Amino acid sequence: FQIGVQHQETDYFNSKTFHWGPYLQLAYINYSQSIFQISPEDGWGAYARYGNNQNIKDSVNYDKALAGIVGYLGLPKHHVLMSKINALMTFETVSSRFGASSSSQFYASDLLIPQFILRGYQPYQFYGRSIWNINTEYRFPIASIERGFGTDPYFFKRLSGAVVVDGLGVEGGSVTEDKQFVSRNL
């Protein structure tokens, strides 16, 4: 449980806006990972945050909520089915820049906070004031190598694989391969 105050600066095409405001956050984690695991193998976690954003200079006030839930289902040894759902909702009709954007990779696979991952697309390609995302993965070991070669400074421990499915919805916009803006609705 956390109560705090945040300061946020948004830079959008050289137009800066500043917000500050209180937030309330609640998180629960019931999973862990050892150095011998590809990822967490069992358990779940949830995250919810509500924040009020007051303008500091010439911008709008808005409230937003973030939430996420992740679950790991352990199958045979080191086989894992992971499912993660994330959402951000901005309650007022504000510019898309005050919401969130998609990312193309997990910065850490076991982070609970919403990351809005859509693999195969460019980072920030989708953005909006409200956004939801689902990631499902089946991770599995392929081979245990556990060897290096002579005095070379590398060591191969194991080879793992994953089958992934991602989905994303955004109320805002996206950028096409031709660098054109396309309006998106959830």
Side-chain angles (χ1 to χ4, degrees), residues 126-147:
F126 298 91
Y127 57 94
R129 67 183 192 93
S130 295
I131 188 170
W132 65 266
N133 173 240
I134 185 168
N135 305 105
T136 302
E137 300 180 4
Y138 170 56
R139 301 178 195 162
F140 53 93
I142 296 173
S144 180
I145 302 169
E146 303 207 12
R147 73 174 66 160

Side-chain angles (χ1 to χ4, degrees), residues 38-150:
I38 301 167
S39 67
E41 293 185 357
D42 197 24
W44 69 283
Y47 168 92
R49 179 178 180 144
Y50 180 84
N52 175 268
N53 297 278
Q54 300 292 319
N55 68 4
I56 295 176
K57 285 198 235 176
D58 306 331
S59 56
V60 296
N61 299 334
Y62 62 97
D63 296 317
K64 68 179 177 181
L66 285 139
I69 188 166
V70 61
Y72 297 93
L73 177 62
L75 301 168
K77 188 175 183 179
H78 300 312
H79 291 252
V80 179
L81 182 63
M82 184 276 293
S83 191
K84 187 175 202 176
I85 300 170
N86 298 302
L88 174 135
M89 173 100 182
T90 304
F91 296 101
E92 289 78 20
T93 303
V94 295
S95 172
S96 296
R97 68 183 170 176
F98 299 120
S101 59
S102 62
S103 185
S104 59
Q105 66 183 354
F106 285 103
Y107 296 110
S109 64
D110 62 342
L111 280 180
L112 185 59
I113 61 172
Q115 298 179 61
F116 306 108
I117 307 302
L118 191 60
R119 289 167 275 214
Y121 292 87
Q122 294 295 319
Y124 316 111
Q125 187 168 347
F126 298 91
Y127 57 94
R129 67 183 192 93
S130 295
I131 188 170
W132 65 266
N133 173 240
I134 185 168
N135 305 105
T136 302
E137 300 180 4
Y138 170 56
R139 301 178 195 162
F140 53 93
I142 296 173
S144 180
I145 302 169
E146 303 207 12
R147 73 174 66 160
F149 298 97

